[in-house]
Amino acid sequence: MIVHSEAGFTLIELLIVIAIIGILVAITIPALIGAQKRSYDTGAQACAKSIETVQGISQIDRKTYMMVGTGPESLNSLTDGVNAACKSENVYIKDRSLATTLVSQYAIDVWNRRGSRVFTVTPTALSADMPGATAFSDTGAGGTHLP
């Protein structure tokens, strides 16, 4: 006598499980990509905040703000207080300050090319996507790395 055992899953049950997994993946992936972009923006914001702090210290110590540059009296990657996030190859900076108004004013744009926002640092604010800021570029166009 032959006994048939019905252990296992039918083809329809397997297809239903695969379809459910596909739907869950389709829902999850966009959320994860969005979270990753926000994390890159957070790094750029940390860089902008450290630049704001360094500029505040410069104003107190020297009575003027610093331009981004390579000189000893310039804001660069060797300046004390600059966050490690500023030294990333994906972070770009555009100094829109005028040398004639550095005693009282500066404007520096910071962004991560893998993120989605541009942060502008001024003496009074740290703002995201401020009108007049450098346009966001995923290639870094319009900006440079911190020297």
Side-chain angles (χ1 to χ4, degrees):
M1 175 166 62
I2 299 176
V3 179
H4 293 286
S5 102
E6 296 206 15
F9 298 104
T10 66
L11 181 60
I12 300 243
E13 290 171 329
L14 290 174
L15 290 175
I16 289 172
V17 168
I18 290 170
I20 290 171
I21 290 171
I23 290 169
L24 290 174
V25 167
I27 291 170
T28 306
I29 293 295
L32 292 176
I33 290 172
Q36 189 176 29
K37 280 194 174 290
R38 286 190 304 275
S39 74
Y40 295 136
D41 287 337
T42 300
Q45 187 176 16
C47 176
K49 183 65 179 164
S50 76
I51 288 173
E52 181 180 44
T53 301
V54 167
Q55 290 288 48
I57 292 169
S58 174
Q59 179 65 13
I60 291 169
D61 290 348
R62 300 179 13 203
K63 308 290 188 251
T64 187
Y65 295 113
M66 293 187 284
M67 294 284 285
V68 173
T70 57
E73 297 297 317
S74 299
L75 177 63
N76 55 54
S77 60
L78 300 176
T79 304
D80 286 339
V82 172
N83 190 304
C86 295
K87 299 172 187 174
S88 167
E89 65 184 27
N90 295 305
V91 172
Y92 289 88
I93 295 172
K94 169 75 176 193
D95 190 346
R96 296 187 291 128
S97 309
L98 301 174
T100 56
T101 62
L102 273 179
V103 172
S104 62
Q105 194 66 18
Y106 68 91
I108 300 173
D109 297 329
V110 180
W111 71 96
N112 187 312
R113 70 179 182 85
R114 298 173 299 178
S116 60
R117 304 179 88 182
V118 175
F119 296 93
T120 301
V121 186
T122 64
T124 57
L126 169 59
S127 306
D129 302 323
M130 187 174 182
T134 305
F136 177 81
S137 166
D138 61 0
T139 63
T144 61
H145 298 295
L146 191 64

